[in-house]
Amino acid sequence: DADVTQTPRNRITKTGKRIMLECSQTKGHDRMYWYRQDPGLGLRLIYYSFDVKDINKGEISDGYSVSRQAQAKFSLSLESAIPNQTALYFCATSDSKTYTGDYEQYFGPGTRLTVT
Amino acid sequence: AQSVTQLGSHVSVSEGALVLLRCNYSSSVPPYLFWYVQYPNQGLQLLLKYTTGATLVKGINGFEAEFKKSETSFHLTKPSAHMSDAAEYFCAVTIAGGTSYGKLTFGQGTILTVHP
């Protein structure tokens, strides 16, 4: 089984709808991240959480919210979806307690979201 | 804040030819540098990373990269391209302290095409 899973893998929704993307991990990592990928722009950080009670905005948080329900679960919500939120969304995890402290991140398979 | 620039959004090589993907970074403190690969319809997979120590870093699938502080570069190379190397490659940077620690900043990505 994959260490970092995302559901759904694909989603088509309409403008104005609320949608939630879910991420779960079995790696035991304390840190979790949400990114969006757009062609030619690389990955941009939406939100990140260094533990259950520590949630922070990334560079493009407008229009998004998150919830860290447990150490292993981190959900991303679009309160009112708009077409320019059409993108590939990735969840990632990292472990702050590795002896190297290099903050390597481990990625889920992605959710392809289309807003019509 | 740190940043990454990948020179060339598309690189095309023949099978057996040298692969060179360019990455330059900007950071006011010593960086940690990463190369990730994304195969079609998959998440990101770590190729290699530089944290401290030896500046020539070897990764999976025959790839390597050299950290050159004087040139602020971390270019990715492979002596002989294989068809299976066709993918999108991302360079990323983080730092070990300050408010940005643990957060990855990604380049725009380089799509590698390998011709028979």
Side-chain angles (χ1 to χ4, degrees):
Chain A
D1 288 341
D3 295 321
V4 184
T5 57
Q6 293 183 235
T7 56
R9 293 293 312 278
N10 289 280
R11 181 70 183 268
I12 300 174
T13 192
K14 294 186 183 297
T15 298
K17 293 291 188 181
R18 183 180 188 275
I19 184 170
M20 179 181 289
L21 309 183
E22 298 185 336
C23 177
S24 295
Q25 53 114 345
T26 58
K27 300 186 73 68
H29 290 172
D30 53 342
R31 298 179 172 186
M32 298 186 74
Y33 310 80
W34 275 105
Y35 295 91
R36 66 176 279 174
Q37 182 183 9
D38 299 278
L41 296 180
L43 277 75
R44 293 179 291 166
L45 184 63
I46 305 172
Y47 271 94
Y48 62 103
S49 172
F50 281 176
D51 66 43
V52 174
K53 295 182 180 180
D54 180 15
I55 294 177
N56 303 278
K57 294 182 178 180
E59 60 181 304
I60 55 164
S61 60
D62 288 348
Y64 302 94
S65 62
V66 291
S67 173
R68 186 86 182 262
Q69 299 95 324
Q71 186 181 46
K73 295 184 181 297
F74 192 37
S75 300
L76 176 72
S77 293
L78 287 66
E79 297 300 326
S80 180
I82 57 177
N84 77 0
Q85 292 178 313
T86 294
L88 187 56
Y89 290 84
F90 286 104
C91 174
T93 72
S94 69
D95 183 2
S96 68
K97 297 178 292 297
T98 56
Y99 77 96
T100 59
D102 60 19
Y103 309 116
E104 176 183 342
Q105 292 185 17
Y106 299 81
F107 285 80
T111 294
R112 187 167 297 279
L113 176 65
T114 302
V115 183
T116 61
Chain B
Q2 59 270 28
S3 65
V4 173
T5 301
Q6 291 183 237
L7 301 176
S9 58
H10 290 81
V11 170
S12 180
V13 300
S14 299
E15 192 173 20
L18 171 71
V19 175
L20 171 60
L21 305 183
R22 300 178 187 273
C23 172
N24 287 90
Y25 71 91
S26 172
S27 176
S28 58
V29 298
Y32 292 166
L33 294 158
F34 304 81
W35 275 101
Y36 282 87
V37 60
Q38 183 183 25
Y39 298 106
N41 300 314
Q42 295 187 26
L44 276 71
Q45 176 184 0
L46 183 70
L47 269 180
L48 49 79
K49 61 186 177 185
Y50 168 79
T51 54
T52 58
T55 57
L56 181 61
V57 180
K58 295 186 184 299
I60 62 172
N61 301 337
F63 284 93
E64 62 182 37
E66 187 171 10
F67 171 60
K68 293 187 176 181
K69 183 179 178 180
S70 62
E71 299 177 8
T72 62
S73 68
F74 190 57
H75 301 331
L76 182 70
T77 61
K78 182 175 181 178
S80 177
H82 191 273
M83 297 295 290
S84 61
D85 295 326
E88 188 164 15
Y89 293 78
F90 294 94
C91 183
V93 63
T94 190
I95 60 174
T99 57
S100 295
Y101 83 107
K103 295 191 300 181
L104 286 177
T105 298
F106 284 86
Q108 303 92 324
T110 298
I111 296 173
L112 176 66
T113 302
V114 182
H115 296 288

